[in-house]
Amino acid sequence: MMRGINSAVLKSAGLSAFLLLFTLSATAQDQFAPLVEALGGRSFDQKIQAVENLAQANFPRAEEVLNAMLDGRLYTRREDNRVVIAETAGSEYALTDAATGEALGQVDRDAVARIGLNNRLRSTLRTTLAKLNLSAPDATTRLDAVKQIIDNFDSSSAALLRHAAEQEQDSAVRELMEIGVALGGLSDQQPAERIAAIDTLRGSLNPEVRNRLTNLLASEQDEQVKTTAQSALQSIEHKVQSYRLVETVFFGLSLGSVLFLAAIGLAITFGVMGVINMAHGELIMLGAYTTYLIQLAFPQFIEWSLLLAIPAAFLVSGLFGIAIERGVIRFLYGRPLETLLATFGISLLLQQLVRSTISAQNVPVSNPGWMSGAWEINSALSLTYNRLYILIFSLLVFAGLLLILKKTPLGLKVRAVSQNRSMAKAMGIRTEWVDAMTFGLGSGIAGVAGVALSQLTNVGPNLGQSYIVDSFLVVVFGGVGNLWGTLVSAISLGVGNKFLEPYAGAVMAKILVLVFIILFIQKRPRGLFPQRGRAAAAA
């Protein structure tokens, strides 16, 4: 009997709890819906107030609705002014009720009107979403939220970050929160508190810190506070200049790696064969177009396209190079002027071949996702991934060529021919075969350089013309046929160019580098690292 009564009581209690939960849920929904509807207000002031009210109410769907508004996916349905989230579905929109999440079906695009935004409202949305994300489980999300709050700092931000910092476990996030708290301390009435805040901010590279300290220095009346602020700004400026120096060196190294890739194939053919190949730039261009054609043929494999393009470009440009050597250059050895004119004509033919078969206009080559964006080390220093990967790739190419020339039979024969062709021929080395393979190797490396350049510049029929002169400068400056000389020369010219650009401009920097090379060659005609070659042996 008692068991039955207890069971009935438990069922009644469960039913009561369910009804209470349902009632609370319905009440919450009734409170949430008007806040969402207010987002469609007529004035931007009303919308901003609605955003703030929605964030303070702390409803589960608030973040989704605000994200939709920031992304331009929040609309009002014309027939009843209902606020909805619209997703593209072909030529129509698929609607979802913003307040309840209920699917409302598809409608014509004319059936809804987008809720307008301005810059002030966008800034409010970003700051509000950042405040909501301060309690996100992911540390990266919280870090981005703190950065967003600091970038749009207001009177309530310091207290919000102070409360969040007390509960934060991640050291990087907590450190950035403390910077935000210190920014709030700059407005404190007590000079001692302002000085303490400045000491906390000393050395911070956050742009908002520099702006706030600069503004404080302009308006501050207390001399001790002004002195402390001036010292902190000088400390920050010193760090910024140091990181700018690092960034300039990085851009110089990246330019040097591009010059190295463009010149290394020319250094091989010029050093071994003594051929001035004016079609070298067009072999680079063929490598870049090979990348384009692979992406065109396999659009679903964009992320892997470069890995496919590297061997393909090597083969395409290498085969073209062997065909040029066997078909034209082998008949012109010992006649450098005629070789120069012949290869210049070949360069024009290759340009016209591309214009006729592919396009006379520049073609788009996509960057894979892993080469897009930048590695942000701090607020003052970021390194773009595409240039970083190309720098690493150029070093790998250099190491690979060293292995080929030092550790393979082909490399041994190439070195023998470059040092003494007559003796190598007397020892039974087929010098004609070595010439063809050497020209093919240098041309293949030029094609690989085109793959790298396709990630940095426009791909068009004239791509190679932009690098042929620079390639010859690198080869002559470093020492004809010397791989180490080519590497040092390319890096030196790249870094020197980037250091000159801020003072002389891009064009004048190139002119100054050219003048320097001319003067240097007057003193050392054989370059930085002279190598015993055919001409030296003959002398």
Side-chain angles (χ1 to χ4, degrees), residues 443-508:
S443 301
I445 297 299
V448 171
V451 177
L453 290 175
S454 71
Q455 302 300 297
L456 296 176
T457 187
N458 295 326
V459 175
N462 297 320
L463 170 65
Q465 297 298 308
S466 304
Y467 293 94
I468 186 64
V469 174
D470 290 336
S471 298
F472 275 108
L473 290 179
V474 169
V475 171
V476 172
F477 180 51
V480 175
N482 190 299
L483 293 187
W484 281 103
T486 304
L487 178 64
V488 173
S489 170
I491 296 300
S492 301
L493 295 181
V495 173
N497 200 300
K498 286 301 177 182
F499 272 99
L500 287 173
E501 279 184 6
Y503 306 101
V507 176
M508 184 57 67

Side-chain angles (χ1 to χ4, degrees), residues 175-234:
E175 181 181 349
L176 193 59
M177 287 178 173
E178 290 170 354
I179 289 176
V181 174
L183 284 174
L186 295 179
S187 304
D188 197 280
Q189 297 296 321
Q190 299 298 323
E193 293 296 328
R194 297 200 295 278
I195 290 174
I198 292 171
D199 288 335
T200 301
L201 297 173
R202 186 183 301 274
S204 173
L205 296 172
N206 192 287
E208 186 63 22
V209 171
R210 296 175 67 192
N211 293 337
R212 295 291 293 271
L213 286 176
T214 302
N215 294 336
L216 176 67
L217 193 63
S219 59
E220 181 59 51
Q221 301 299 320
D222 189 284
E223 289 298 324
Q224 187 176 359
V225 176
K226 289 181 68 173
T227 302
T228 307
Q230 182 67 47
S231 173
L233 277 172
Q234 289 176 351

Side-chain angles (χ1 to χ4, degrees), residues 81 119 147 179 197 202 209 211 243 297 346 352 378 405 476 484:
N81 286 329
N119 290 336
K147 290 178 181 178
I179 289 176
R202 186 183 301 274
V209 171
N211 293 337
Y243 282 117
I346 292 171
Q352 190 57 45
N378 54 48
L405 294 178
V476 172
W484 281 103

Side-chain angles (χ1 to χ4, degrees), residues 124-300:
T124 301
L125 282 167
R126 292 191 184 100
T127 306
T128 301
L129 286 167
K131 292 176 179 178
L132 292 175
N133 286 330
L134 282 179
S135 57
D138 181 52
T140 303
T141 303
R142 297 197 302 276
L143 187 65
D144 292 339
V146 177
K147 290 178 181 178
Q148 187 64 50
I149 291 172
I150 290 177
D151 290 343
N152 299 276
F153 205 81
D154 57 31
S155 57
S156 65
S157 298
L160 180 69
L161 291 176
R162 184 181 295 109
H163 175 73
E166 295 172 356
Q167 305 171 2
E168 182 57 53
Q169 301 297 320
D170 188 276
S171 58
V173 180
R174 185 170 59 252
E175 181 181 349
L176 193 59
M177 287 178 173
E178 290 170 354
I179 289 176
V181 174
L183 284 174
L186 295 179
S187 304
D188 197 280
Q189 297 296 321
Q190 299 298 323
E193 293 296 328
R194 297 200 295 278
I195 290 174
I198 292 171
D199 288 335
T200 301
L201 297 173
R202 186 183 301 274
S204 173
L205 296 172
N206 192 287
E208 186 63 22
V209 171
R210 296 175 67 192
N211 293 337
R212 295 291 293 271
L213 286 176
T214 302
N215 294 336
L216 176 67
L217 193 63
S219 59
E220 181 59 51
Q221 301 299 320
D222 189 284
E223 289 298 324
Q224 187 176 359
V225 176
K226 289 181 68 173
T227 302
T228 307
Q230 182 67 47
S231 173
L233 277 172
Q234 289 176 351
S235 173
I236 292 172
E237 190 61 33
H238 178 71
K239 291 184 70 173
V240 169
Q241 291 299 329
S242 299
Y243 282 117
R244 283 178 180 168
L245 177 63
V246 173
E247 191 173 53
T248 301
V249 171
F250 169 73
F251 280 116
L253 290 174
S254 68
L255 176 59
S257 67
V258 170
L259 293 176
F260 172 77
L261 287 173
I264 189 64
L266 189 64
I268 294 172
T269 56
F270 195 15
V272 175
M273 306 168 65
V275 172
I276 302 175
N277 180 19
M278 293 302 293
H280 182 76
E282 278 56 49
L283 295 171
I284 295 174
M285 174 198 68
L286 290 178
Y289 271 99
T290 302
T291 309
Y292 164 72
L293 292 175
I294 285 179
Q295 290 190 350
L296 194 65
F298 305 104
Q300 68 275 27

Side-chain angles (χ1 to χ4, degrees), residues 51 66 69-70 117 121-130:
V51 169
L66 294 178
M69 188 176 188
L70 182 61
L117 304 175
L121 179 54
R122 288 189 184 92
S123 178
T124 301
L125 282 167
R126 292 191 184 100
T127 306
T128 301
L129 286 167

Side-chain angles (χ1 to χ4, degrees), residues 413 421-434:
K413 294 173 182 178
R421 174 175 289 269
S422 299
M423 182 62 71
K425 194 169 185 178
M427 294 296 293
I429 295 175
R430 295 173 56 193
T431 55
E432 297 83 1
W433 178 86
V434 172

